[in-house]
Amino acid sequence: MLFQHCLQPFSKQHSKSLLAIQSQAIERVMNHSWPGNVRELENLIERVMVTTDRGVLPTKDFCRFLTLPQEVPDLFAVGKAALQKAERARILQALRAAGGNKQRAAPLQINWSGHLV
């Protein structure tokens, strides 16, 4: 219903006959997360309408304008990467403290604030 409500003013504004939408496009539009809410929907409808000369709005026209959802970060991977970065920084600090000598740096312990323990 909201789609039809948005479609009518744009079809008048752009002098196009009232267009239909393919069923797959409706499904795609309904499954979209719509982070921009109604404004994003209106924007999408107007962009598709302006760029198509068909009587039916095809799915591919909608898909190319829909923003893809942002991937949710894998918190385990983020934590693992942070730990690896911290360990690398501690190793480099121990190497600097030992003058670049790996054997002298190996037994050194660097605390999280970066000081020798």
Side-chain angles (χ1 to χ4, degrees):
M1 287 175 45
L2 186 57
F3 178 83
Q4 288 297 331
H5 175 75
C6 294
L7 186 62
Q8 291 175 350
F10 290 128
S11 57
K12 287 179 187 173
Q13 181 181 347
H14 297 289
S15 301
K16 295 202 175 187
S17 60
L18 192 57
L19 302 171
I21 180 173
Q22 286 183 335
S23 59
Q24 294 99 346
I26 292 173
E27 185 178 323
R28 180 71 189 265
V29 167
M30 290 183 72
N31 289 330
H32 185 63
S33 65
W34 298 106
N37 299 324
V38 175
R39 288 186 183 173
E40 185 181 1
L41 176 63
E42 289 173 339
N43 235 351
L44 173 70
I45 293 169
E46 186 169 25
R47 281 186 285 174
V48 172
M49 186 171 289
V50 168
T51 59
T52 191
D53 56 355
R54 302 174 189 96
V56 175
L57 301 176
T59 305
K60 69 179 178 98
D61 287 355
F62 279 90
C63 292
R64 80 182 147 144
F65 290 121
L66 280 175
T67 55
L68 298 175
Q70 296 297 317
E71 189 173 309
V72 176
D74 175 2
L75 294 181
F76 179 76
V78 170
K80 184 177 177 182
L83 180 61
Q84 288 173 340
K85 187 176 180 180
E87 287 175 348
R88 185 178 194 287
R90 291 174 72 190
I91 290 168
L92 290 174
Q93 182 136 10
L95 280 169
R96 278 193 290 278
N101 185 315
K102 292 179 187 176
Q103 287 184 335
R104 284 193 313 177
L108 295 178
Q109 292 183 4
I110 309 292
N111 67 17
W112 289 107
S113 61
H115 298 95
L116 287 172
V117 179

